[in-house]
Amino acid sequence: MWDDAPVRRALLSPPACRDLSALRGAVGGRAVLVTGASSGVGEATALRLGTAGATVLLLARREERLRVVAARVEAAGGRAVVIPADLSDPASVDLAAEVVRSVAPVLAGVVSNAGRSVRRRALDGAPRADLERLLAVNVTGPARLLLALRPALGAECVVVNVSSVSARHVGAPRWGAYQGSKAAFDLWLQAAVAEWPGVRGASVYLPLVRTPMIAPTRAYRFLPALSAAEAAEVVTLPFVRRVVRVAPWWLPGVEVAGIVCPGLLTRGLAWAERVEAHLERRR
């Protein structure tokens, strides 16, 4: 079977940390919190950090899944701590922060990976509860957690925001709520770490990643995507290199197009949406 990994990496992948020894030097024996660690990119990132010898604090809603991930981390040579929490519930966030501080008074890093994706037309009258939960999971919950953890963010602590390339281009039909929430947290974190001496912040703008989150979108089945393990190599780069932004090589071009000719880019996205909707109706 043809291995398409080199093609995927050339077309999609931002710079990555594929040197496990370098990662071990940065996080070995130190504590790193990973949110959304029960599956997908979060699970793969936790496993990679554990393989590098880190103590990985696993935070997500599904405790049973976290225990499976914890077993994998420990089998890989790391140490894992399970912390069930729901980022959409302020009381749950506050309790989780207390547990984190008691287990790891000093954190070497936080990977803010937990996220919710809702793909729905803005004019379809989507339930307000869906929008509020998305904002809670993608913006206010992670922000509340980081503020509560501020005393544990040690010198040279790295806060990695796992974002999306979609947060950097013009609004796309059906993705407005998701794009807006990712962009909002991205800007909030950049401002926050500028106020926190000793804390480094880095935003990782991932392209499409083959995880359960994208499964409901039929069109994504035919598009090139990174594996979760490849994405984890990208997410862990800020631990070994002083970067504030990690993105695919082509993203600056998309950003410039959004500034120079936003109407053209918007019309192109709208056209792609109409084509997809037409194909869906024909099925």
Side-chain angles (χ1 to χ4, degrees), residues 35 86-90 93 112-117 130-148 159 161-163 167 176-190 192 196:
T35 70
D86 183 350
L87 289 180
S88 68
D89 179 354
V93 172
S112 186
N113 166 75
R116 180 175 174 81
S117 176
D130 282 354
L131 177 59
E132 291 175 346
R133 178 167 174 77
L134 182 144
L135 292 173
V137 174
N138 292 2
V139 185
T140 57
R144 185 184 186 96
L145 179 64
L146 281 173
L147 290 172
V159 179
N161 171 31
V162 181
S163 189
Y178 176 74
Q179 285 182 271
S181 67
K182 299 301 282 186
F185 184 72
D186 187 19
L187 290 173
W188 179 86
L189 180 62
Q190 290 177 36
W196 296 344

Side-chain angles (χ1 to χ4, degrees), residues 6-34:
V7 175
R8 286 201 315 273
R9 287 176 176 173
L11 293 178
L12 296 176
S13 184
C17 172
R18 300 189 177 96
D19 183 354
L20 193 60
S21 62
L23 184 60
R24 184 180 297 277
V27 302
R30 307 178 72 191
V32 180
L33 171 67
V34 180

